Amino acid sequence: MASDKKQSPIRYGMVGGGQGAFIGGVHRIAARMDGEFVLVAGALSSNPERAKASAEELGLDPERSYASYAEMARAEAGRPDGIEAVSIVTPNNHHFPAAKAFLEAGIHVICDKPLATTLAEAKKLAALVEKTGKLFVLTHNYTAYPMVRQAHEMVARGMLGDIRLVQVEYPQDWLTEDVSASGNKQASWRSDPKQAGAGGATGDIGTHAYNLARFVTGLELDSLAADLDAFVPGRLLDDNLNVLLRFKAKGKAPAAKGMLWASQVAPGHENGLKLRVYGSKGGLEWVQADPNYLWHTPFGEPKRLLTRGGAGALASANRLTRIPAGHPEGYLEGFANIYREAAAAIRASRNGRKPPKGVLFPTVEDGVEGMAFIEACVKSSKRNGAWTKL
């Protein structure tokens, strides 16, 4: 049998991501960074002219540029050289129907977050994934940064002891003014409940912050108290959230507590994702703007800096490290690592095997929990910050 390295590239298609889109280009770069995927089909826009022009720019066969994701799923499932996976990079309201169409067609799904627009939709997708046996990869890319994997393993090994406190924040400033009024496409759909769902900043970046905290600590959330605001006049969805978190107890240790702040109206912050975790034996701090560094402070000892690929880096971090220590890696590589993990799982699936040991990526279950987080935040805020079970 040929080794995975000698197998043919994974044929994939893309829904959304045409001209004027942001995240589609990021996904395409990530998918081709390791030579594991080749883009062969697309339904790149709901606008036929834009879809055609986008396909031409990307060099797609005109016969495999589709007017809709439904047409694409049907046609590609019937081709002997059809796509094995699809990347869904649309506004949130298309995630559920598009993912459903491709899962039912027997095609693996790689989907941008959040999973859907409602928790009910998310649960239906989870059931469909289980029924079809297809892979579902949710691109919470921050979980694939090497030093985030380092933090995850350090907590799992007990190096921080019993986790007591979790603080995560994700401030931005790009929606400080009503930029959707000037025709900003990215702002417009994110501020529209019909396209984004019930959460604005909560769904867009709050879910990233929550997922990061959950991934690193391994804690399960019990309940939350949320205060959501739409500070810009006329904005229909929240642009700032403050959330208190109560996690479920693990063993005999007291239940951990947490705080989450996410904002898109915080001048001076471009993309300020930061995580701090404190346990009975020490603390960790990671900042997305400096992703190759992880600060570790064992209790009673000096603060120490761990670096990507440097001394003290664990195997789980090193397996996602691409270049020697001291050379910066970041956002695009994090996305590429998700695609590389997905490729390993898809290749294993080709041969009826489970993914290789150590392969890790956010799944549909993470997406369901993200939607539960959004709905609990909205519900709590409407009840004046009342504590709400997830």
Side-chain angles (χ1 to χ4, degrees), residues 26 44 96 119 296 364 367 379:
V26 172
L44 300 172
F96 170 72
L119 180 56
H296 176 213
V364 71
K379 183 178 180 180

Side-chain angles (χ1 to χ4, degrees), residues 305-353:
L305 179 64
L306 301 173
T307 62
R308 181 196 54 77
L314 300 174
S316 58
N318 286 336
R319 66 176 292 273
L320 295 188
T321 293
R322 295 165 173 276
I323 52 179
H327 297 79
E329 290 185 12
Y331 185 75
L332 292 174
E333 290 85 355
F335 259 105
N337 285 337
I338 292 286
Y339 270 86
R340 189 164 69 181
E341 300 282 69
I346 292 170
R347 291 188 184 284
S349 177
R350 280 178 173 179
N351 300 302
R353 305 195 308 263

Side-chain angles (χ1 to χ4, degrees), residues 154 159-160 279-284 295-306:
M154 290 175 70
M159 296 175 68
L160 269 64
S280 57
K281 295 181 181 179
L284 290 175
W295 288 99
H296 176 213
T297 309
F299 179 65
E301 299 181 24
K303 189 175 186 178
R304 58 193 63 172
L305 179 64
L306 301 173

Side-chain angles (χ1 to χ4, degrees), residues 258-272:
M259 293 185 290
L260 184 153
W261 169 53
S263 181
Q264 292 173 319
V265 292
H269 290 283
E270 294 173 333
N271 203 67

